[in-house]
Amino acid sequence: MLTEKQAAVLGLLARSLTSKEIAAKLQTSESAVNRHIEILRSRCGGITRAQLARRYRERRGDFRQIAGAPACVEPTKQIIDLAGTPPGKEGEPQDGSEAGLAFKDSLEMTLDAPWTRPEAQRVVPRVLDGDNAALTRGAAIAIILFALIASLVLGLAAAQAITDALGS
């Protein structure tokens, strides 16, 4: 069962409009549109927006509007379209491969390890961080691996000796 606003939002969503475009058509805020969509998604088991739109297009009968349901009251506010509507036909999906989107991280990351910067505190000993760091680290790994295998062999030998002593 849908309210009048939810039915309107779902109908426009099924035509592949963005939240901003739906908000402009319904003269409401984008956050209100997103709120309606989230409520509908949660009612349908947490499906995605695309799945919700597809389900509405395929089975409109499953989505009935509540007769006489009060429309959601939105505060009156002026909607300022800062970016404008993206180019393309109205109702046409804007996320095709030809859309030419470019993403950029909001937080820039450096590629060097923090312990290589001179102002940072030392995390590893200098012997593992110098000119022969790869060789030194490889040797440390080999020594640790050898110690583990040696302790395993000694443990198995001790277990065998105990078994022989108890069995005879």
Side-chain angles (χ1 to χ4, degrees):
M1 299 294 224
L2 304 174
T3 64
E4 181 182 328
K5 279 283 193 179
Q6 289 172 342
V9 167
L10 192 53
L12 294 172
L13 181 66
R15 291 176 34 200
S16 301
L17 296 178
T18 64
S19 295
K20 185 180 251 183
E21 293 168 332
I22 294 170
K25 284 197 178 292
L26 298 178
Q27 296 180 345
T28 186
S29 67
E30 187 176 353
S31 63
V33 170
N34 288 331
R35 191 170 50 247
H36 289 303
I37 292 171
E38 288 304 313
I39 290 169
L40 292 168
R41 286 182 57 219
S42 66
R43 283 186 188 170
C44 294
I47 60 177
T48 64
R49 286 173 63 115
Q51 291 170 334
L52 180 64
R54 188 179 326 111
R55 185 178 290 180
Y56 181 73
R57 283 191 298 266
E58 292 171 356
R59 298 182 281 177
R60 284 183 199 244
D62 292 352
F63 298 90
R64 288 180 295 254
Q65 187 172 342
I66 302 171
C72 297
V73 178
E74 295 294 329
T76 54
K77 50 175 106 167
Q78 183 180 5
I79 299 173
I80 301 171
D81 190 15
L82 296 176
T85 306
K89 297 178 184 171
E90 190 171 308
E92 180 181 316
Q94 300 293 323
D95 56 353
S97 60
E98 67 279 347
L101 299 175
F103 295 102
K104 183 178 179 185
D105 288 336
S106 59
L107 177 66
E108 291 193 24
M109 304 293 286
T110 58
L111 296 177
D112 57 335
W115 56 84
T116 60
R117 287 185 234 130
E119 72 277 357
Q121 291 181 341
R122 307 275 319 154
V123 177
V124 294
R126 289 193 191 280
V127 71
L128 295 177
D129 202 24
D131 295 332
N132 297 322
L135 180 64
T136 308
R137 290 178 184 185
I141 291 171
I143 291 169
I144 292 170
L145 185 61
F146 178 75
L148 285 172
I149 292 172
S151 63
L152 180 65
V153 169
L154 286 175
L156 289 174
Q160 183 66 37
I162 292 171
T163 305
D164 289 342
L166 293 177
S168 52

